[in-house]
Amino acid sequence: MVDRARRRFAIVAVAAIAASLVSTAHADDVELDDGTRARVVAGELNDIVDDPLDRSFDIVHHPTLDEYLAVWRDFDGSVGSGSVARGVLGAVLRADGTVRVGPFEIAAQTEPSSELLKDSLFSPRVAYDAAADRYAVVFMRNASSSVTPVDDRRSAQVFGRLVSTDGELLGTEVALNPPLGAAGADVCVPRFPDLVADRSTGGYLLVYTRHHASAVDSGDICEGLDPAASVTVLQRLDGALAGADTPGTRVDFPLVNSAGPAVPGVSHHTATGRVIVTQPFAGAVDTGPDNRSGLRFAAQVYDSSLDLVAPVRTIDVDPIEPDDKRAVDLVLPVADPGTGNWFVLSSAPFFEPAWTNLLGPTGEDLRGGTRLEGRPTSVAPVGDRTFVFTTEAGTIVHVRADGTLVHPAPVLPPRRPENAALALAPAADDGSPTRGVAVGLGPAGVVSSTLLVVAPGVLPVTPARLLETRNGPEFTTIDGRFEGGGPLDSGSFVAVEVIDRGGVPADAEAVVLNVAATGAAGDGYVTAYPCDAPERPLTANLNYTSAG
């Protein structure tokens, strides 16, 4: 790896030699058509609607049409300073991020005094069902005490709406959660719905939190939950959004959260047909030095029949710091399409870390966690064991399955904490950049941007000599630096700058180097290694003799 602070490689000689160093390639970088080298490239911003109060976005890709459906909440600044949603809006976007249909209204306030669609901090969710060739959008409605609950589903409901590929609303809104808790009770409520397509059987997989929203014990009115407790519900829906009341289509997460409602996550793995559901330990904060009970999440993997594959897993996030005194409140799982594994992002509020974990096919933790900067809002697989995610700051971050950073790129101008979401088209077979669209809130309203996500790779460059210790006009380097000086003494050390020389760009993470020796005074060897390596390697890159 290149020493990023000093941008140099060290050459150590054992026995005196004349040496040269030639770069032939740099890694983790690809040259695009316009001559630039990057890993995440954003296009120009496209205006969708001028409304600086809109927020809470989601977006999904249509693989056949190469289009996207973006959805978000439309907020009313005249009520509660923008805290109450007027409805849910959507727009069909072309592959270049421009609007083909819309914006159009998917759901609306039907009674403003009731503050329907009140959960303003959580986005509506959208998924595409290939079997039916249409989209489904889910969202919350909260009814005030003056409003009769719909279908006796108490004071809150998860609703869904089907949308055609041309943005037409199909049918009517469908209440997706069954009645929760005892009849007439209004303290057993669903919260935080999330939705993915079930590509194995068609239809959708819905998760939400069933929450006992009372601080006092009111008897068994919330299906066995204690006051303030919650549990995640996984529910299978068919392509018409039916199945909420069908026995066998609903399973409860095996771990109850005793500290309030937790935001669940869900992902479906096309290769294995399995489903992962995640749940943070909301509010479970230690007073001890490591806050470990709060800095973890639970993961459960189900098979295609929604049967448990393995016991529930408890996953620690790492590394943690002494000031990490808030619990994980957000967990975003996504399938790794090239393996049976799951890549998981998690975060805690206000201090904005992004922890990464890699889980195996049954949810087992495959490695220690890593920590990146930026609170995530959405994540998508690139298809080459790398992933991209959006942050609240409007940045797209490209990360490997092992949790190491590939590249962060500013994409959408930050406006509000609920800024951006992204979706990617399937990875191309020819190795060309993966394309996608991000949507979020710009300076004056809702905007979109195209994305090019370049897979980490190796770009050959024209060989260039970076070090030449021989003297003479014919013995030159690419830029006249690190020339001459005569043979290297035995045991000597030379630091050679590599970055920004011979076509190696400033953001290269590794280089391929050729080392040559001539005129040796005796047998010996050369070792080349990054200047920031903790110690000199014990292996040689080149062995030589006095005979040549």
Side-chain angles (χ1 to χ4, degrees):
M1 298 295 289
V2 173
D3 172 3
R4 289 189 174 276
R6 300 171 66 186
R7 303 188 300 177
R8 297 184 294 182
F9 265 79
I11 300 289
V12 174
V14 176
I17 57 166
S20 65
L21 185 69
V22 179
S23 68
T24 61
H26 71 268
D28 270 349
D29 204 57
V30 175
E31 186 170 9
L32 302 180
D33 293 340
D34 62 359
T36 62
R37 295 182 176 94
R39 300 179 190 91
V40 180
V41 180
E44 295 183 358
L45 296 181
N46 304 296
D47 293 327
I48 297 178
V49 62
D50 289 337
D51 191 337
L53 294 175
D54 288 1
R55 55 189 183 269
S56 305
F57 300 92
D58 197 20
I59 186 170
V60 69
H61 180 253
H62 189 300
T64 305
L65 299 177
D66 195 18
E67 294 183 337
Y68 301 82
L69 178 61
V71 297
W72 64 93
R73 291 191 183 276
D74 178 28
F75 278 77
D76 185 352
S78 65
V79 182
S81 299
S83 63
V84 178
R86 289 184 298 199
V88 174
L89 300 182
V92 178
L93 307 180
R94 302 180 182 92
D96 63 2
T98 59
V99 176
R100 183 175 73 84
V101 182
F104 53 87
E105 189 173 71
I106 297 172
Q109 285 257 26
T110 58
E111 190 171 342
S113 62
S114 70
E115 296 189 359
L116 299 180
L117 301 164
K118 186 178 179 181
D119 283 333
S120 61
L121 297 181
F122 294 89
S123 64
R125 307 296 291 174
V126 59
Y128 170 71
D129 178 15
D133 192 28
R134 58 191 175 192
Y135 305 99
V137 182
V138 298
F139 49 90
M140 284 289 304
R141 286 190 181 276
N142 289 334
S144 70
S145 58
S146 64
V147 177
T148 302
V150 177
D151 295 336
D152 192 32
R153 289 166 203 268
R154 322 305 182 229
S155 62
Q157 301 91 41
V158 179
F159 280 89
R161 192 69 189 267
L162 295 173
V163 181
S164 77
T165 57
D166 288 322
E168 298 175 350
L169 301 184
L170 305 175
T172 59
E173 290 184 11
V174 180
L176 299 181
N177 63 280
L180 301 177
D186 61 357
V187 297
C188 192
V189 294
R191 284 289 184 264
F192 314 138
D194 196 5
L195 185 75
V196 294
D198 185 345
R199 298 179 181 89
S200 297
T201 61
Y204 306 93
L205 294 162
L206 171 72
V207 292
Y208 56 87
T209 292
R210 174 167 54 90
H211 175 46
H212 189 165
S214 173
V216 298
D217 190 354
S218 305
D220 188 14
I221 62 174
C222 196
E223 303 180 25
L225 284 179
D226 292 332
S230 67
V231 69
T232 295
V233 176
L234 171 63
Q235 200 164 281
R236 170 169 279 138
L237 305 170
D238 65 19
L241 297 182
D245 300 316
T246 303
T249 62
R250 168 189 161 184
V251 294
D252 284 358
F253 196 80
L255 186 65
V256 173
N257 194 314
S258 61
V263 182
V266 62
S267 182
H268 177 267
H269 206 303
T270 304
T272 65
R274 291 179 174 178
V275 181
I276 190 171
V277 176
T278 56
Q279 175 179 292
F281 287 77
V285 180
D286 267 349
T287 57
D290 67 353
N291 183 23
R292 178 47 73 192
S293 69
L295 292 171
R296 54 167 51 119
F297 61 89
Q300 180 65 65
V301 177
Y302 302 84
D303 64 18
S304 58
S305 299
L306 303 190
D307 293 325
L308 298 181
V309 172
V312 64
R313 312 283 188 171
T314 299
I315 310 298
D316 290 342
V317 300
D318 285 299
I320 58 176
E321 298 177 357
D323 293 336
D324 293 348
K325 295 299 183 181
R326 293 186 179 273
V328 168
D329 70 332
L330 178 68
V331 186
L332 301 176
V334 65
D336 183 351
T339 68
N341 298 333
W342 312 91
F343 180 77
V344 185
L345 284 165
S346 57
S347 187
F350 303 115
F351 62 94
E352 297 188 352
W355 289 292
T356 81
N357 287 88
L358 186 67
L359 309 185
T362 66
E364 67 275 21
D365 198 358
L366 296 182
R367 60 165 171 81
T370 65
R371 179 180 179 134
L372 305 172
E373 293 304 316
R375 182 170 168 84
T377 56
S378 68
V379 60
V382 179
D384 57 359
R385 303 212 67 210
T386 69
F387 306 83
V388 291
F389 66 91
T390 54
T391 72
E392 287 186 346
T395 299
I396 302 292
V397 180
H398 192 187
V399 61
R400 300 177 183 85
D402 64 8
T404 56
L405 181 68
V406 179
H407 186 62
V411 174
L412 298 171
R415 175 74 186 188
R416 294 196 57 92
E418 311 88 353
N419 195 2
L422 64 81
L424 298 178
D429 294 333
D430 60 2
S432 59
T434 299
R435 300 179 181 272
V437 169
V439 62
L441 192 61
V446 179
V447 296
S448 68
S449 173
T450 56
L451 302 174
L452 289 178
V453 183
V454 179
V458 176
L459 173 67
V461 296
T462 302
R465 181 164 287 127
L466 306 179
L467 169 70
E468 176 59 77
T469 66
R470 292 174 292 182
N471 294 310
E474 70 274 27
F475 301 126
T476 61
T477 63
I478 184 66
D479 53 6
R481 303 169 63 196
F482 299 94
E483 287 181 355
L488 299 179
D489 294 332
S490 177
S492 62
F493 170 97
V494 177
V496 182
E497 292 190 15
V498 174
I499 291 210
D500 288 329
R501 302 180 65 208
V504 179
D507 61 351
E509 295 192 354
V511 291
V512 179
L513 300 171
N514 292 328
V515 183
T518 186
D523 297 346
Y525 62 87
V526 175
T527 298
Y529 62 96
C531 286
D532 61 350
E535 58 186 15
R536 192 183 81 186
L538 299 178
T539 57
N541 296 96
L542 175 68
N543 294 288
Y544 54 84
T545 68
S546 59

